[in-house]
Amino acid sequence: MTPRQRRLGLVIGIVVGVSIAGTLALSAFRQNVTFFFDPSQVAGGQVPVGERFRLGGMVTKGTVQRAPGSLEVRFVVTDFAHDVPVSYSGVLPDLFREGAGVVAQGHLRADGTFVADEVLAKHDEKYMPPAVAKSLKIRHGEARSDPGS
Amino acid sequence: MRWTWFHRLASPPYLYALAARLTPWFAWPAALLILGGLYAGLVLAPPDYQQGEGFRIIYVHVPSAWMSLMVYVTMGVAAAVGLIWRMKVAHAVAASCAPIGASFTVAALVTGSLWGKPMWGTYWVWDPRLTSELILLFLYLGFMGLRAGFDDTQRADRSAALLAIVGMVNVPIIHYSVIWWNSLHQGPSVMRLGKPTMPPAMLVPLLVLLLGFTLFFAAVLLVRVRAEILQRERAARWIGETLRA
C-alpha cells in the first residue's frame, strides 16, 4: 500500500464514519429536528402533553371563522386523516388561505382545541402565472369555493 | 499518458498562466447570462398566482443557495485531492473557495429571510432547512478561521482540509432536509425527480441565472486562485520571471 492509497483510505474512512455518525445522530434526534407535528401525530398522542409545539397541515376549506370586530379566528387544520381545531388571535400572514398549508405554534387545550400564538403560512413548491391558476381552478370546478384568491 | 493534464495542473506556474487565460471565458458569459437572466426573471416572467411579484426574489435566492452548496462540494473535493495527492495548488483552490461560498451562503440566508417575512410571516424559524444552511455558513467561517490560525501554510492546509471533508455530510442534509423532515420551507421546485413545478416562462430565467452564477463562481475562483498562488509562491523564482515578462 503506497502512502497515497493510505491517505485515500483515510479520507474515505472519514467521510463514511462521519456519515454514519450523522445518520445515527439525526435519527436519534428525529423528534427535535422535525419542525411541526401533523394532526395524525396529535391524534396518536405523540405530542408532549401540556407543552408548546408546532402543528402543521392544511387549512380545511370552509372552516375559517372570524369574530367580527376582533382578530379572533378559528379554523380546522387537517392532514386528510385527522382534524385539529385551532383558535388564534392575531394577524395572519398574507399567504394564509383555505386549502393551503399552515404551521401554528401553541399548545393543546384539554378540550382538544389547539390554541395558537403564532401562525405561519407554508406555501408549496408550485409556481404559476395567475391566468393559468384561474383556468386550472375553473377546470376543477373550484372557482366558487375559494374566497382566498 | 492520460493523466498528464492532471499532473500539469499541479504545477503552480502552469495553473497560474492557465487561470489567467481562462478567466475571461467564464467572466463574460457570466455577465451576459446574469444580466439577461435578471431581466427575464424580474421583468419578462409572469407574477405568481399566490405570491404575486414577491416571488421574483427566487431569481436571486435559489441561485445563491445552489451556489452555496456547489462551492462547498468544490472546496471539499479540492481539499480531498490536496490531502491525498499532496497537491499544494488543490489546497490553494480550496482556500480560494471558502470566502466565495460564505458570501453565497450569506446571500441565500438574507434573501430567504426577506422572502420569509411577507410569505410565511417570519424572518427566521429554526426549521431544518434554515438551520442546516446556517451551519453551512459556520463551516465556511470555521474553515477560514482554522486556516488563519496557523502560521505554517502546510499545516493550515491539512487541518482545514479535514474540516472541509467532515463538513461535506452537511451538503446532502441541506438538500434533503425539506424531504426527510416536516419543514416550513417548501420542497424543491427544480432540483427534483420528475418535472420542475413551474412553467417555462418562469423556469428558463431561473436556469439561465443558475448557469450564470456558476460561471461567475468559476471566474472569481480563477482570479482568487491566482492571488493565492502568488502569495504562496512569493519566494519562487518563476514568479519574478513571470511578473517581469
Side-chain angles (χ1 to χ4, degrees), chain B residues 48-59:
Chain B
D48 180 53
Y49 74 117
Q50 287 208 322
Q51 305 187 27
E53 304 289 346
F55 106 100
R56 295 184 196 278
I57 200 167
I58 198 175
Y59 293 113

Side-chain angles (χ1 to χ4, degrees), chain A:
Chain A
M1 209 160 146
T2 65
R4 190 203 297 156
Q5 282 168 333
R6 208 167 48 237
R7 293 194 295 265
L8 180 66
L10 181 75
V11 168
I12 293 174
I14 290 174
V15 170
V16 171
V18 174
S19 306
I20 293 173
T23 311
L24 290 176
L26 286 175
S27 53
F29 292 125
R30 200 167 187 89
Q31 288 279 313
N32 303 34
V33 172
T34 202
F35 187 64
F36 57 79
F37 294 92
D38 53 40
S40 291
Q41 288 170 310
V42 175
Q46 289 182 42
V47 174
V49 181
E51 273 181 48
R52 283 166 56 78
F53 67 97
R54 291 195 193 86
L55 169 73
M58 291 286 190
V59 182
T60 311
K61 283 191 177 165
T63 60
V64 177
Q65 298 169 352
R66 285 166 216 267
S70 78
L71 291 173
E72 204 75 38
V73 60
R74 295 174 157 277
F75 52 88
V76 172
V77 169
T78 181
D79 60 358
F80 307 109
H82 292 89
D83 293 346
V84 175
V86 176
S87 97
Y88 172 65
S89 175
V91 180
L92 292 166
D94 286 356
L95 284 188
F96 179 87
R97 304 272 155 86
E98 294 191 349
V102 74
V103 176
Q105 186 165 37
H107 64 275
L108 208 55
R109 240 176 15 206
D111 65 356
T113 304
F114 185 81
V115 183
D117 46 46
E118 184 187 37
V119 172
L120 302 177
K122 174 176 161 64
H123 62 84
D124 61 14
E125 68 277 16
K126 295 191 187 67
Y127 301 89
M128 58 180 109
V132 177
K134 208 171 167 188
S135 68
L136 272 182
K137 244 174 212 164
I138 291 166
R139 215 176 303 156
H140 292 297
E142 296 174 355
R144 285 157 288 114
S145 62
D146 193 352
S149 54

Side-chain angles (χ1 to χ4, degrees), chain B residues 37-85:
Chain B
L38 281 179
Y39 181 74
L42 301 184
V43 180
L44 299 181
D48 180 53
Y49 74 117
Q50 287 208 322
Q51 305 187 27
E53 304 289 346
F55 106 100
R56 295 184 196 278
I57 200 167
I58 198 175
Y59 293 113
V60 183
H61 176 72
V62 168
S64 304
W66 162 245
M67 288 317 296
S68 70
L69 297 180
M70 267 276 293
V71 176
Y72 199 91
V73 172
T74 311
M75 184 172 101
V77 170
V81 169
L83 267 193
I84 295 165
W85 280 275

